Amino acid sequence: MVQKFGGGRTTSENVHTVQGATDWDVAVDQLEEALPNVGTVSLISSWFGTDLRAGVCELKPGVERDEKNTSPLTWRVAGQTRSSAYVVTQDEGRPAYGGTPSDETVIGAIADLKARGYDVVLTPFILMDVAAGNTLPNPYGGTGQPPYPWRGRITCHPAAGQAGTPDKTATAASQVAAFVGTAQVSHFSISGATVNYTGPAEWSYRRMMLHHAHLALAAGGVDTFVIGSEMRGMSQIRSNASTYPFVAALMQLASDVKALLGPATNVIYAADWSEYFGHQPGDGTGDVYFHLDPLWSSASIDAIAIDNYWPLADWRDGSGHADYLAGWRSPHDLAYLKSNVLAAEGYDWYYASDADRAAQVRTP
């Protein structure tokens, strides 16, 4: 694909290697050659979140620039063209993110991976496009949300634990409902490589997820579909002491996606490692709720999935640190890494403070 300029000038949009093939083909060819035992590929397609306040956050497909003439493909996602699409913010004079892949290329990527024999995991992904210097109310206190924050910080406003929080009230449920939206499977249809939408004019969580589910269907299906990842700030919102409305919304979404894509498609929610096991509110009640258990036990969920960031090493420079003194000689030693799977930090001991971490003072 090329970008076209005046006077017949063009420049390549997707060929940046000496091999001459598209960047996609070169990358997947290299994957096949370098890692022949890989059987599953996770395909990420990102839309952009606009606010950490669940009640006003929109999730939109976006572009780096709204003026670009390309051929033979033109960008189109969810009924938006380049000229009408959301434009990502600038960071130091450059787009903060790459844009959303066009619907046609997502379908093509799924089809190509399947043709090469890979199982495909489709992950619709939220990138938070909140620029530095913003004046948005911060659900965690004050004015100004942190720039380009983690999607797991989307939550009710004010957040649980803050003065005036709606957590444990019907207002919290209404904020969750605004984020989730009301898009239904019946609002979508497929025409070739185009997914049409006739539902409410909303850029909601359900619209984003169901749009991607229809892209998967248009490509002939996927092996696994991820209905969300690391939405900790949403999954822990309560409408009363023990009711979690976003969890109920995920259960309904899982059911809808499973019905659409069929029983051969695994449907999962990729929980953050800090949320998968339960919710301890920290509000002085001492309560512990296994808030995701209804989702994990849902007939439409096929696995308890965790995005896991537990450390496998505590290696430091030099030869005076604890792991070197314990007899290990390299952070690349496979036996060393394996030894930390069921041992070491987060298992045998933890660091009680940043100062303890710096000094390697380990608390059992």
Side-chain angles (χ1 to χ4, degrees):
M1 186 170 71
V2 298
Q3 181 180 175
K4 299 167 67 175
F5 302 92
R9 294 181 300 116
T10 64
T11 185
S12 175
E13 283 285 286
N14 63 346
V15 176
H16 297 93
T17 67
V18 296
Q19 288 91 329
T22 67
D23 298 338
W24 169 270
D25 285 331
V26 170
V28 184
D29 287 347
Q30 290 176 343
L31 172 64
E32 289 183 314
E33 181 178 354
L35 300 169
N37 293 326
V38 167
T40 301
V41 173
S42 179
L43 184 66
I44 307 293
S45 173
S46 295
W47 286 20
F48 298 94
T50 60
D51 203 299
L52 288 178
R53 294 170 295 166
V56 297
C57 180
E58 293 186 307
L59 303 175
K60 298 179 175 181
V63 294
E64 312 101 305
R65 291 168 45 197
D66 58 2
E67 295 182 0
K68 185 188 289 188
N69 185 8
T70 60
S71 179
L73 303 180
T74 56
W75 188 92
R76 186 178 178 87
V77 176
Q80 300 297 295
T81 62
R82 182 174 292 277
S83 62
S84 66
Y86 172 82
V87 180
V88 300
T89 63
Q90 298 273 316
D91 183 29
E92 297 183 352
R94 295 176 295 181
Y97 297 104
T100 301
S102 70
D103 286 347
E104 188 172 357
T105 56
V106 172
I107 292 171
I110 294 170
D112 182 55
L113 291 170
K114 288 162 62 77
R116 293 172 184 255
Y118 289 112
D119 289 348
V120 179
V121 178
L122 181 59
T123 305
F125 197 83
I126 298 172
L127 294 171
M128 295 304 297
D129 193 27
V130 178
N134 69 84
T135 58
L136 297 171
N138 188 339
Y140 299 93
T143 299
Q145 296 180 9
Y148 309 111
W150 174 43
R151 63 197 174 280
R153 291 180 64 79
I154 303 172
T155 193
C156 60
H157 179 65
Q162 298 293 316
T165 182
D167 189 40
K168 296 191 284 187
T169 73
T171 300
S174 68
Q175 291 184 13
V176 170
F179 178 79
V180 171
T182 58
Q184 302 297 316
V185 173
S186 60
H187 295 149
F188 296 84
S189 62
I190 299 170
S191 177
T194 300
V195 174
N196 303 302
Y197 174 72
T198 58
E202 62 183 36
W203 292 107
S204 64
Y205 193 80
R206 281 186 61 87
R207 181 173 180 183
M208 175 185 172
M209 290 296 165
L210 291 176
H211 177 83
H212 281 89
H214 280 82
L215 291 180
L217 189 63
V222 293
D223 298 277
T224 301
F225 188 92
V226 183
I227 61 168
S229 62
E230 303 177 11
M231 301 298 291
R232 185 181 72 176
M234 292 298 300
S235 72
Q236 295 179 352
I237 295 173
R238 294 175 286 173
S239 57
N240 58 46
S242 60
T243 300
Y244 294 83
F246 188 67
V247 176
L250 288 175
M251 293 169 63
Q252 182 60 58
L253 180 61
S255 176
D256 291 339
V257 171
K258 177 69 78 171
L260 179 67
L261 297 181
T265 298
N266 294 314
V267 177
I268 63 173
Y269 169 70
D272 185 63
W273 68 273
S274 65
E275 71 170 325
Y276 82 95
F277 56 87
H279 179 214
Q280 301 175 43
D283 56 4
T285 62
D287 289 338
V288 178
Y289 294 106
F290 299 100
H291 67 310
L292 291 180
D293 277 12
L295 178 67
W296 297 144
S297 60
S298 165
S300 299
I301 290 291
D302 295 283
I304 297 175
I306 308 167
D307 286 353
N308 188 343
Y309 302 103
W310 296 331
L312 291 181
D314 188 33
W315 199 264
R316 312 293 174 95
D317 290 337
S319 57
H321 61 90
D323 288 0
Y324 190 93
L325 296 175
W328 301 107
R329 291 296 176 262
S330 169
H332 309 295
D333 184 335
L334 184 59
Y336 166 63
L337 297 175
K338 285 183 175 181
S339 74
N340 287 316
V341 173
L342 293 178
E345 186 175 359
Y347 195 94
D348 296 318
W349 48 263
Y350 69 98
Y351 289 126
S353 66
D354 290 340
D356 283 359
R357 180 177 293 278
Q360 289 195 302
V361 176
R362 296 169 172 176
T363 300

